[in-house]
Amino acid sequence: MRVEDLPGELILWVLIASEILVFAAGITAMMAVRLTDPEGFSAAQAMLDGRMAALNTVVLVTSGLCAALAERAAAQDRAVRARVALMLAAIGGVIFLIVKGIEYAHDMRQGWGWKAIRSLPSTTC
């Protein structure tokens, strides 16, 4: 397949490829920590709220879908539909920030703030 045969702009595919690489690196690092420090990994995992993560995943995927639908509607000269879909995507972004704010507020109530982070032991190579 040639680059010219790909749908959309080249920069979109560069963005997608970079996102895949970043996620792959993150998952690789996570698995390495899980294998080398299973107790620490389990303790850290227990501190996470899976429900909030699941909610944010649904919000982000839905928001992304709305953005894609807005682009398609705009390409079909359906301005009203494009605006509505774009507004829904923006609302999804706001909901994401609200959920993140709730998560961070909870973490701070548990004592996880800049002070707690700075007091963690540092590791150097």
Side-chain angles (χ1 to χ4, degrees):
M1 176 178 265
R2 297 180 345 217
V3 172
E4 295 83 22
D5 296 334
L6 292 173
E9 299 291 324
L10 177 61
I11 191 68
L12 174 68
W13 290 101
V14 170
L15 175 68
I16 290 170
S18 67
E19 287 287 325
I20 289 171
L21 290 173
V22 168
F23 275 101
I27 290 171
T28 301
M30 182 188 73
M31 294 308 295
V33 171
R34 185 178 194 154
L35 290 172
T36 58
D37 184 14
E39 289 103 23
F41 187 86
S42 293
Q45 189 176 23
M47 295 171 61
L48 300 175
D49 187 348
R51 295 169 299 164
M52 296 298 259
L55 173 61
N56 258 347
T57 299
V58 169
V59 168
L60 285 176
V61 169
T62 304
S63 181
L65 173 64
C66 288
L69 292 173
E71 192 280 329
R72 179 173 284 172
Q76 296 171 346
D77 288 329
R78 295 178 154 180
V80 173
R81 183 174 283 186
R83 285 188 191 111
V84 169
L86 219 75
M87 184 59 69
L88 290 173
I91 289 169
V94 171
I95 292 170
F96 174 83
L97 292 175
I98 290 169
V99 172
K100 277 295 172 196
I102 292 167
E103 284 182 297
Y104 293 151
H106 178 264
D107 290 345
M108 287 185 181
R109 282 193 303 276
Q110 298 297 320
W112 283 101
W114 286 115
K115 238 187 214 183
I117 292 169
R118 280 188 292 213
S119 68
L120 290 174
S122 64
T123 58
T124 57
C125 296

